[in-house]
Amino acid sequence: MAHAHTQTLTEEQTRLPARVASLAPGIIFGGLVLILAALGWAFATEDGLVHFQYAYLTGFMAWLMVALGSLIFLCLQHVFRAGWSVGMRRIPEMIVSNFWPWIIVAFMPIFIPICMGDTTVYKWLDPAMVNPTSPLFDQILANKSGYLNKGFFIGRLVAYFGIWTLMARFFVKNSVAQDADGDPARTRRMEMRAAPLIMVFALSLTFAGFDLLMSLDPHWFSTIWGVYLFAGCMISSVSSMILLLMFIQNFGGMKHIGPEQYSDLGKLLFAFVFFWGYIAFSQYMLIWYANIPEETTFFHFRQAGEWANFSLLLLFGHLLLPFPGLLSRHIKRGRKTLAFWAIWMLVFHFVDFYWMVMPYLAKKLGHGMEVVFHPMDVLIWLGLGLGLFGLTLSRAKRQSMVPLRDPRLPESLAFENYY
Amino acid sequence: MAGKTYAPLKGIDNTGDVPGPRTPLILENKTYGQITEQVCSVVEDPKVHRTWLLSFMAAVTFLGVLFSLIVYLIVTGVGVWGNQIPVAWGWPIVNFVFWVGIGHAGTLISAILFLLRQDWRTSINRFAEAMTIFAVVCAGTFPGIHVGRIWLAYWLFPLPNQMLMWPNFRSPLLWDVFAVGTYASVSLVFWYMGMIPDLATIRDRARHPLRRLGYGILSLGWRGSARAWHRYERAYLLLAALATPLVLSVHTVVSFDFAVSQLPGWHTTIFPPYFVAGAIFSGFAMVVTLAVPARAFYGMRNIITMRHLENMNKVILATGSMVGYAYSMEFFIAWYGGNKYEQFAFMNRAFGPYAWAYWTMVSCNVITPQIFWFKKCRTSIPIMMVAAILVNVGMWFERFVITVTSLARDFLPSSWGYFHPTIVDILMLIGSFGLFFTLFLLFLRFLPMIAISEVKSVMPFPKPTQKQPSEVESAPVPSVN
């Protein structure tokens, strides 16, 4: 980009502003308080602990997608040898560096009950369901017990989180080490490994989606499920990156990121809003049209009673409103407008996961067609989100906020977005 | 700039990438004028090359075969095909889906890669788009002649009539008419609009008044003013944005032809993105198949460089792996879903009477592109030609497997059958290649095969002070351990 201005970075710009670093523990603490408040509320409510488990799964999965989206974002930037994003690449790197240990720690309230064979959320963990002599016996589950059984399930979950942790470690370690040694071979190594890692990621995301979300109704199945989750994880991670960037900038950091990069992030957000709509439509359309009972159960329940309105909320909030909302170039380049849509999409990303998980709770509690909303659902989601953002920021003070010696940093600083 | 020459740099390997400086896309350090000369001379050459003529005659011969068979079909009836209960959808729909798929690369390259700022697209977009349009022509032929009473083919369109008869709006086959029709028209407009500045260049260089008139009409009075360029760029961006969802929608609707049904092996939710990935996969394979001989024959190696071919091979690897992902999801969910008809459909594909077709498909589509993990294979002309042709074969077989295996053995064993194509089926498929190549060869001869103005936009400005590709090359290449 020959005619763009070349910027020089000051020492101050490359570091996390001291105010942000001092705020981070408070944010984490705030998140923790919200989760504890939700837990307290759960104890005081009838069926509260059951509700808590479902709400925790919803909130955790919604934010896990942010971390996974950041991971695939890093892979994609490396595999495409992208220049524009180098200046902001530390943001996704800091998000994924939370896999070890904090995302895994946050997963424990889901993982430990699974290990203990708790059947509140995953009813198929009940061995009686595959025991032919039991009154609960389910032939369909018995047929797939080779896959859906406790031991294999735990093994797979360990494998997914292990894979993601190692992937995150690889990218963060090399990128940070490059700040010190400036070795361009690190860039090459990340580019080369990113391609096969995308395949590993695709399979791990898909099967984790089958395991943690699709198996909530162990009879139901959809081959597009993994792609649907992928669309959601791109939307939520790009939104989170936008908000974290703006937050740091509000305290005077990372001033080298301007409308040029925001414009591209906005375009990605727009593209994946559209892509999500495409995938969600494909899944709905094909199941609705063929009208096969074992498939329609998923939508049938979400299309009746109060859930029908909730589904419409998802349709409008996740697709029909943000699509025209993000069309304009001015909106994507304006800080306030882009921040608005980033927050909006994070909220509706949560609504999406609520829509996937919570109807099963309504069914379980025998509430029929009611949306079983409880304020603790939002408290948990907010608490986990604050935790993730706070931990990301507190990680960020350990090193430069810019990949200082990335060979493509000059290109990124001089980057200009023509259209 | 024209007139001043610099020493050409031959044999530069621009496939390597030192992180940091961007490797040049156009080689041999030519001036703008030389690039214009290089591309236009193909169209302006008064001599007809023998190789071109022989290929053209061969293509026209096969086109003649196709036309005669279409006449035979119309006179006799669709019974001349192998379509027979239980497989009432045979090769015609297989060929239709195959050709629509081929027609996906062009618009992806010109629209989506444009929005993604992939500058390397400029060298290949023009003839990839041309190829798209010709492939859609081939695709449209098959359902067009499959309607039975071809003189009533216009009933495909919802035309008001005194009988108050309308097409069935609930049928995905009707959606196909709209999807493919929209795609064809937008692709055509995009292709033509992008060509206007280049057509004007040919017009301005034309010596014969008839040529000047012909290209003059085609170039719509293009003067190259700043205002014209401004509007051109705006229109190009808008068309790219409009064409992007179309790249997805066409094959999505084609996949609906199968997936909205309740037939095991056809009805699965991943079909739409899976078909789109497969279409891009086969489209890029066809671009490689055509680009390699064309660049050699017309001496375009400096414009369509090894880097361009390597990038296309990477796209083939990526989309081929997506197709492989879809195959495995289908297989896994067929088992996981627990529906025994679905399970049977997949076991039947892999181990039933059509196992030969299934394994041809898997080895061509999933295993073959994996060789592109290795740079040696991505940058070897013979290997990529073989792989690209195998991918084309595999993608034809994919549609054959999907269409025929599910129909041949459905729920009721007493109505099972085995599909046999007739000689008409086989010759029509070959004939459709004749149609495709006839159009493509005419395009190469009469229209600029490279987007001249777009290529110039990604050239390093040929100043002596500019860093030469040779200097970039000699920069230390980091070792990777």
Side-chain angles (χ1 to χ4, degrees):
Chain A
M1 310 289 146
H3 10 253
H5 320 280
T6 318
Q7 302 184 34
T8 36
L9 288 171
T10 59
E11 171 72 15
E12 196 192 330
Q13 278 176 328
T14 63
R15 260 181 299 147
L16 190 73
R19 274 291 302 286
V20 179
S22 64
L23 277 174
I27 299 174
I28 301 168
F29 183 71
L32 210 55
V33 168
L34 289 180
I35 294 170
L36 290 176
L39 190 60
W41 207 331
F43 274 111
T45 319
E46 192 196 343
D47 290 329
L49 283 177
V50 176
H51 198 118
F52 183 86
Q53 274 183 281
Y54 277 85
Y56 193 88
L57 181 70
T58 310
F60 177 79
M61 289 309 287
W63 292 112
L64 177 67
M65 291 296 136
V66 170
L68 291 177
S70 305
L71 201 52
I72 190 72
F73 181 88
L74 286 174
C75 289
L76 291 174
Q77 299 311 308
H78 285 300
V79 100
F80 290 132
R81 299 168 179 168
W84 68 275
S85 60
V86 171
M88 47 117 351
R89 209 182 60 215
R90 275 293 139 84
I91 301 283
E93 280 171 0
M94 292 305 99
I95 295 176
V96 299
S97 62
N98 287 313
F99 264 109
W100 179 259
W102 297 113
I103 292 178
I104 291 175
V105 168
F107 182 57
M108 286 305 131
I110 300 167
F111 187 64
I112 291 168
I114 291 172
C115 292
M116 294 179 354
D118 176 70
T119 56
T120 317
V121 179
Y122 300 101
K123 62 177 179 191
W124 54 265
L125 282 172
D126 188 351
M129 293 190 88
V130 291
N131 180 359
T133 56
S134 154
L136 284 172
F137 178 68
D138 184 326
Q139 182 64 53
I140 297 175
L141 272 186
N143 289 345
K144 52 177 103 174
S145 62
Y147 182 79
L148 289 185
N149 64 67
K150 193 175 133 187
F152 193 21
F153 187 49
I154 292 171
R156 285 196 306 269
L157 292 177
V158 170
Y160 303 143
F161 281 88
I163 288 168
W164 298 332
T165 306
L166 289 176
M167 274 177 76
R169 229 178 95 82
F170 167 71
F171 286 115
V172 177
K173 207 184 78 186
N174 272 292
S175 179
V176 172
Q178 200 178 41
D179 286 357
D181 60 18
D183 184 0
R186 292 189 185 279
T187 305
R188 287 286 295 142
R189 198 179 306 144
M190 287 193 278
E191 281 168 7
M192 290 183 68
R193 303 248 174 105
L197 285 178
I198 288 175
M199 303 183 87
V200 175
F201 176 86
L203 289 176
S204 60
L205 172 74
T206 306
F207 281 96
F210 287 163
D211 286 347
L212 286 167
L213 294 168
M214 205 168 84
S215 80
L216 289 170
D217 177 354
H219 286 185
W220 188 75
F221 52 88
S222 171
T223 41
I224 209 172
W225 193 249
V227 190
Y228 182 81
L229 292 179
F230 166 70
C233 80
M234 288 307 288
I235 291 174
S236 59
S237 62
V238 171
S239 302
S240 303
M241 286 175 219
I242 291 171
L243 292 175
L244 280 166
L245 264 173
M246 288 181 178
F247 184 78
I248 294 170
Q249 287 191 328
N250 282 348
F251 291 94
M254 299 192 82
K255 285 290 185 199
H256 59 286
I257 304 292
E260 307 299 337
Q261 280 85 0
Y262 282 127
S263 182
D264 269 358
L265 287 168
K267 279 187 247 175
L268 273 180
L269 189 57
F270 174 74
F272 279 97
V273 163
F274 180 74
F275 184 73
W276 180 90
Y278 166 59
I279 298 299
F281 171 75
S282 299
Q283 177 169 266
Y284 180 78
M285 161 76 191
L286 293 177
I287 289 177
W288 171 79
Y289 199 109
N291 205 10
I292 300 173
E294 64 239 39
E295 288 182 357
T296 49
T297 48
F298 182 84
F299 289 112
H300 184 252
F301 197 74
R302 287 164 178 79
Q303 229 167 261
E306 289 179 9
W307 286 109
N309 295 331
F310 197 84
S311 299
L312 286 176
L313 180 74
L314 181 67
L315 172 65
F316 277 87
H318 210 298
L319 177 68
L320 297 183
L321 295 177
F323 181 82
L326 278 162
L327 258 179
S328 160
R329 169 183 164 94
H330 302 290
I331 287 176
K332 289 183 286 244
R333 295 176 83 88
R335 285 174 66 89
K336 282 183 182 153
T337 44
L338 186 62
F340 170 79
W341 284 113
I343 294 170
W344 176 284
M345 285 321 298
L346 275 181
V347 171
F348 278 93
H349 176 68
F350 169 61
V351 169
D352 187 20
F353 278 76
Y354 202 90
W355 177 85
M356 282 184 233
V357 175
M358 287 311 222
Y360 296 119
L361 174 68
K363 221 182 231 175
K364 184 176 181 68
L365 297 180
H367 283 305
M369 306 293 170
E370 287 169 44
V371 176
V372 282
F373 179 77
H374 189 285
M376 74 170 132
D377 306 341
V378 177
L379 289 186
I380 295 169
W381 172 72
L382 264 183
L384 287 170
L386 285 179
L388 181 68
F389 278 27
L391 286 165
T392 303
L393 293 173
S394 74
R395 285 252 161 183
K397 69 184 172 208
R398 292 192 204 162
Q399 67 285 306
S400 157
M401 281 313 290
V402 185
L404 289 172
R405 296 170 75 182
D406 188 296
R408 298 203 178 95
L409 183 64
E411 183 184 330
S412 173
L413 293 177
F415 170 65
E416 202 170 330
N417 219 327
Y418 295 110
Y419 45 83
Chain B
M1 273 148 290
K4 202 170 181 188
T5 53
Y6 302 95
L9 294 161
K10 284 235 157 73
I12 292 287
D13 171 22
N14 67 338
T15 56
D17 214 19
V18 186
R22 296 289 175 179
T23 315
L25 289 170
I26 310 296
L27 296 181
E28 294 184 8
N29 213 24
K30 290 199 174 179
T31 61
Y32 287 173
Q34 286 168 326
I35 292 286
T36 308
E37 182 64 38
Q38 189 187 349
V39 179
C40 291
S41 63
V42 174
V43 180
E44 288 163 351
D45 191 355
K47 208 175 86 212
V48 178
H49 284 275
R50 218 174 47 176
T51 319
W52 184 88
L53 195 65
L54 287 177
S55 328
F56 186 70
M57 276 158 51
V60 169
T61 309
F62 286 116
L63 175 63
V65 170
L66 178 70
F67 276 151
S68 348
L69 287 175
I70 289 176
V71 172
Y72 172 58
L73 173 97
I74 294 169
V75 171
T76 321
V78 287
V80 299
W81 281 329
N83 298 5
Q84 188 55 268
I85 302 300
V87 185
W89 260 12
W91 280 30
I93 192 115
V94 175
N95 297 343
F96 162 70
V97 182
F98 171 74
W99 279 114
V100 176
I102 298 290
H104 267 62
T107 311
L108 179 104
I109 291 169
S110 51
I112 296 187
L113 294 190
F114 175 73
L115 295 182
L116 294 175
R117 293 195 297 264
Q118 297 297 303
D119 287 342
W120 59 277
R121 63 179 266 288
T122 51
S123 297
I124 50 168
N125 67 347
R126 174 65 48 73
F127 74 85
E129 280 178 66
M131 193 198 80
T132 286
I133 288 158
F134 307 146
V136 172
V137 169
C138 293
T141 307
F142 284 97
I145 56 178
H146 198 179
V147 292
R149 289 177 291 169
I150 200 165
W151 47 95
L152 296 177
Y154 65 92
W155 282 10
L156 285 168
F157 299 100
L159 301 170
N161 56 75
Q162 81 284 7
M163 295 183 287
L164 292 177
M165 283 224 316
W166 297 98
N168 185 357
F169 287 102
R170 280 175 287 184
S171 162
L173 294 174
L174 180 68
W175 310 340
D176 258 348
V177 176
F178 300 137
V180 177
T182 315
Y183 183 67
S185 36
V186 172
S187 298
L188 188 66
V189 170
F190 202 12
W191 178 60
Y192 176 59
M193 203 208 75
M195 212 156 36
I196 289 174
D198 293 351
L199 289 170
T201 305
I202 299 180
R203 171 200 65 192
D204 295 343
R205 291 165 54 97
R207 299 232 169 80
H208 196 282
L210 266 182
R211 275 182 82 86
R212 207 175 306 145
L213 181 72
Y215 286 107
I217 291 172
L218 285 176
S219 55
L220 302 178
W222 178 265
R223 290 288 173 274
S225 65
R227 183 183 299 189
W229 273 112
H230 175 72
R231 287 180 181 155
Y232 169 87
E233 299 269 340
R234 294 301 293 170
Y236 201 96
L237 179 60
L238 282 175
L239 273 175
L242 285 174
T244 295
L246 285 177
V247 178
L248 299 181
S249 72
V250 185
H251 234 55
T252 295
V253 172
V254 170
S255 81
F256 284 174
D257 291 347
F258 302 94
V260 297
S261 72
Q262 297 174 335
L263 194 66
W266 283 13
H267 173 73
T268 180
T269 48
I270 205 168
F271 254 41
Y274 151 43
F275 265 51
V276 173
I280 295 165
F281 179 53
S282 66
F284 268 87
M286 191 58 111
V287 178
V288 170
T289 316
L290 297 179
V292 168
R295 84 198 255 275
F297 185 70
Y298 290 111
M300 299 290 178
R301 286 197 187 89
N302 62 323
I303 299 179
I304 304 170
T305 65
M306 191 51 86
R307 186 183 185 83
H308 295 88
L309 299 176
E310 195 199 1
N311 281 353
M312 287 194 272
N313 291 335
K314 285 178 181 170
V315 175
I316 290 175
L317 170 61
T319 47
S321 305
M322 286 182 203
V323 169
Y325 169 88
Y327 292 164
S328 21
M329 282 310 118
E330 275 188 318
F331 235 101
F332 173 73
I333 294 289
W335 174 80
Y336 178 91
N339 182 327
K340 61 180 178 179
Y341 296 104
E342 195 76 24
Q343 288 170 356
F344 171 78
F346 281 90
M347 293 313 280
N348 181 44
R349 272 186 194 175
F351 307 107
Y354 292 102
W356 58 275
Y358 182 81
W359 294 108
T360 307
M361 166 188 106
V362 170
S363 29
C364 290
N365 292 352
V366 184
I367 299 167
T368 304
Q370 302 307 323
I371 60 166
F372 287 142
W373 283 109
F374 306 101
K375 185 167 176 169
K376 270 220 172 77
C377 300
R378 287 201 302 268
T379 53
S380 151
I381 296 281
I383 293 179
M384 78 173 83
M385 273 306 275
V386 172
I389 290 169
L390 282 179
V391 167
N392 280 316
V393 172
M395 283 309 288
W396 188 87
F397 271 99
E398 179 193 292
R399 280 64 176 247
F400 176 81
V401 166
I402 293 172
T403 311
V404 173
T405 59
S406 284
L407 285 174
R409 291 189 161 186
D410 64 355
F411 302 96
L412 202 61
S414 62
S415 59
W416 286 359
Y418 191 85
F419 176 80
H420 298 279
T422 63
I423 187 76
V424 179
D425 276 312
I426 296 165
L427 287 177
M428 271 193 165
L429 173 61
I430 298 170
S432 67
F433 278 92
L435 171 60
F436 180 76
F437 280 106
T438 304
L439 293 169
F440 191 72
L441 287 164
L442 285 173
F443 158 75
L444 288 181
R445 186 74 186 98
F446 292 105
L447 292 169
M449 62 182 279
I450 306 274
I452 308 169
S453 60
E454 290 192 60
V455 160
K456 286 176 185 170
S457 71
V458 300
M459 282 168 62
F461 200 67
K463 277 185 296 192
T465 51
Q466 180 90 22
K467 231 184 182 186
Q468 300 295 333
S470 57
E471 294 171 60
V472 176
E473 179 62 17
S474 63
V477 178
S479 62
V480 175
N481 35 7

